[in-house]
Amino acid sequence: MTSRLEAVTLEVADAAAAAAFWAGLLGREAVPEPGGALVPGTETQVGLRFASSSTEQVGPRRLHLHVTSSSLEDQQQTVETALRLGGRHLDVGQSPEETFVVLADPGGNELCVIGPGNRFLAGTGHLGEVTCDGTRKVGLFWRDALGWPLVWDEGGETAVQSPYGGTKVSWGGPPVAPRHGRNRQRLDLVADDPRSEAERLVALGATLLADLGEGLNVRLELADPDGNEFALREA
């Protein structure tokens, strides 16, 4: 059995505040857990995990989130809700003509509230996309790692999506920004047999970085072909 994507993990100074923001924005619950909080996903919507960390972000973040809208009124309401929950407007050089609104959550993580009529995100649900910095090789790796079909492969850009639909995970292709130490954003996977699954992932191009825990608390840390860390634990 292949790995299952449990959540996107984002390290923040205040995990409870960031989790409360996203739970409120997406209409989910925030579940406290050791070292942070989880906003659980579903079969078609990716979960979000917020881990408390005192480290500071250096350089651009390796991923950000896209939230969809069904109408201009829905988009505006989503923006207003985000601001009420502790978000803020963010200037990343976007022009006034853009159909998306760029915000930051209480942890400083970028998100875009996408306007209505976006064909690429049609039918994906409210959390439409996790968009990452990465090469085509990484997109192909995650296709095989998760067993999710490739739904975009053009100009070095790639995207995968669960066979059941829902949130897409995409990689922007070259140029890829240089890494500055350990990533504060990563993907968290679960599997029935993490060590056997790690062997399969290494054969696909991953690198095993650490084997942590014993018994029922097996946790492994790996890196994808671009060197981005991800976690794997027992389901």
Side-chain angles (χ1 to χ4, degrees):
M1 181 179 180
T2 58
S3 301
R4 178 171 65 83
L5 177 57
E6 180 186 36
V8 174
T9 289
L10 305 105
E11 295 183 7
V12 293
D14 188 340
F21 170 90
W22 282 100
L25 191 66
L26 299 176
R28 305 186 197 174
E29 294 184 18
V31 180
E33 58 182 20
L38 175 67
V39 179
T42 65
E43 194 170 54
T44 59
Q45 290 286 282
V46 170
L48 301 174
R49 171 172 283 119
F50 298 92
S52 298
S53 173
S54 59
T55 61
E56 294 187 3
Q57 179 69 35
V58 179
R61 287 171 168 79
R62 309 301 290 186
L63 61 83
H64 66 276
L65 306 175
H66 287 175
V67 177
T68 62
S69 306
S70 59
S71 65
L72 290 175
E73 292 77 12
D74 180 49
Q75 183 184 28
Q76 182 59 37
Q77 184 176 17
T78 298
V79 171
E80 291 173 357
T81 299
L83 297 175
R84 176 175 52 81
L85 291 169
R88 58 183 172 85
H89 285 282
L90 191 64
D91 183 359
V92 295
Q94 69 271 29
S95 69
E97 292 77 26
E98 300 288 2
T99 59
F100 56 84
V101 179
V102 184
L103 304 171
D105 71 11
N109 299 294
E110 297 97 338
L111 65 136
C112 294
V113 182
I114 307 298
N118 185 291
R119 293 176 62 186
F120 180 70
L121 298 181
T124 56
H126 203 21
L127 180 55
E129 185 179 13
V130 180
T131 181
C132 312
D133 209 21
T135 62
R136 180 176 184 270
K137 185 176 182 179
V138 167
L140 299 182
F141 166 80
W142 283 108
R143 172 199 63 186
D144 298 335
L146 297 174
W148 288 10
L150 199 66
V151 294
W152 182 264
D153 185 7
E154 194 170 304
E157 300 176 350
T158 51
V160 298
Q161 186 182 34
S162 165
Y164 303 104
T167 309
K168 292 179 177 179
V169 184
S170 65
W171 294 268
V176 177
R179 284 165 36 85
H180 298 274
R182 181 183 174 84
N183 292 342
R184 298 178 76 240
Q185 304 84 35
R186 63 179 181 272
L187 304 184
D188 276 1
L189 311 183
V190 294
D192 293 334
D193 185 345
R195 290 197 173 96
S196 294
E197 177 62 2
E199 292 179 0
R200 186 184 73 89
L201 295 173
V202 168
L204 292 175
T207 302
L208 180 62
L209 301 177
D211 186 336
L212 309 169
E214 295 293 340
L216 298 177
N217 296 310
V218 173
R219 183 178 182 278
L220 301 101
E221 185 173 275
L222 300 96
D224 68 20
D226 276 0
N228 300 299
E229 301 89 355
F230 65 93
L232 172 64
R233 68 172 182 84
E234 191 164 2

